[in-house]
Amino acid sequence: MASQTLETLPLEAQLAVAHTRPNMRGALRIFLELDQRLGRIVAATNEPMLGQMRLAWWRDELGKPVAERPVGDAVLDGIGKYWAGKESRLIKLVDGWEHLLADPPLSEEGALYFATTRRDAMMAVYGKFAENDDRCPGYSQAAWFWALSDFAANISAGEERDLALRLGLRYGDTNQVLPGEARGLAVLGALGLRALKRGGRPLMEGRTASLVATRAAIFGK
């Protein structure tokens, strides 16, 4: 069973939420909360089958109508409030995290699937869908930078970090301007790109991190 309360998000995620328009802020925060929960499940798993069982709980609950889900878990309740009708993106996110339970080393295919499900769930916050909308490359790129930079910053295996860095920059190494509704995503994308270029360091590490975040919040890149 999942934890009942919301957890503290990393500073970069808090900044992203703060710079997101109120009508999208709840969906972004709940996505980031779920993503963090799933990551903690994977990180704490020594026996893959046990991790798969815990992830399966989320997959099963997200596959139910909102009225049939248990109440009292802050993230699950938030999904019902902000993600009703879009849970398929979150179910794929669960699948993506489950790929990380495979025997090491992580394959390029597994890393790509994980990053894609993370990117697509992030884009769904803004009603954007990478596979059928070629008008939103900025959303896709920023979400991609965040998905793989955050992953690289939180793994210790050099081979897997190198893979994450290489994949993170495969679509270019410059930001595109995002509109006002997505300034929170612009913050994560700018910090993510900076972290990738710094070899997978934490997104808010270093003196210039806050300046990069502020610039992205103002100018959208």
Side-chain angles (χ1 to χ4, degrees):
M1 178 66 181
S3 171
Q4 299 299 307
T5 59
L6 293 176
E7 301 173 5
T8 301
L9 291 171
L11 180 55
E12 64 270 13
Q14 295 180 46
L15 290 173
V17 172
H19 289 292
T20 295
R21 289 181 177 175
N23 64 318
M24 297 179 174
R25 195 172 293 160
L28 177 60
R29 180 174 183 94
I30 289 300
F31 157 66
L32 292 168
E33 289 279 354
L34 175 62
D35 184 73
Q36 182 168 267
R37 291 263 191 102
L38 300 176
R40 293 183 68 169
I41 289 172
V42 171
T45 296
N46 294 318
E47 172 52 56
M49 184 173 294
L50 295 178
Q52 290 169 347
M53 291 174 62
R54 295 185 68 190
L55 293 175
W57 183 89
W58 281 103
R59 187 182 296 109
D60 292 344
E61 295 306 323
L62 293 175
K64 297 176 182 177
V66 174
E68 296 180 13
R69 298 172 193 162
V71 297
D73 179 87
V75 173
L76 191 60
D77 292 345
I79 291 170
K81 182 176 181 179
Y82 298 110
W83 281 83
K86 297 190 294 184
E87 291 93 343
S88 62
R89 296 283 160 176
L90 302 182
I91 291 172
K92 288 183 178 179
L93 178 67
V94 176
D95 295 340
W97 276 105
E98 188 170 0
H99 270 61
L100 301 189
L101 293 176
D103 292 336
L106 179 65
S107 68
E108 180 169 332
E109 180 182 7
L112 280 171
Y113 186 84
F114 167 70
T116 298
T117 61
R118 251 185 151 189
R119 177 203 65 189
D120 289 353
M122 174 69 84
M123 291 179 66
V125 170
Y126 306 94
K128 305 295 182 180
F129 304 98
E131 69 272 16
N132 60 12
D133 190 346
D134 59 3
R135 296 168 297 173
C136 55
Y139 289 82
S140 179
Q141 184 187 54
W144 188 260
F145 288 154
W146 166 77
L148 281 156
S149 63
D150 177 74
F151 178 50
N154 285 285
I155 54 178
S156 57
E159 183 177 347
E160 292 186 352
R161 185 188 298 112
D162 291 345
L163 174 61
L165 296 176
R166 176 168 58 81
L167 295 178
L169 295 172
R170 70 183 300 178
Y171 298 124
D173 60 356
T174 57
N175 285 322
Q176 298 187 42
V177 177
L178 287 169
E181 69 168 15
R183 291 301 162 85
L185 176 56
V187 169
L188 291 176
L191 289 171
L193 176 57
R194 173 181 177 271
L196 289 168
K197 290 181 175 180
R198 297 176 78 238
R201 303 302 302 167
L203 275 68
M204 288 300 297
E205 181 181 86
R207 295 180 180 180
T208 62
S210 60
L211 295 176
V212 170
T214 299
R215 177 183 174 83
I218 295 173
F219 298 108
K221 62 177 292 185

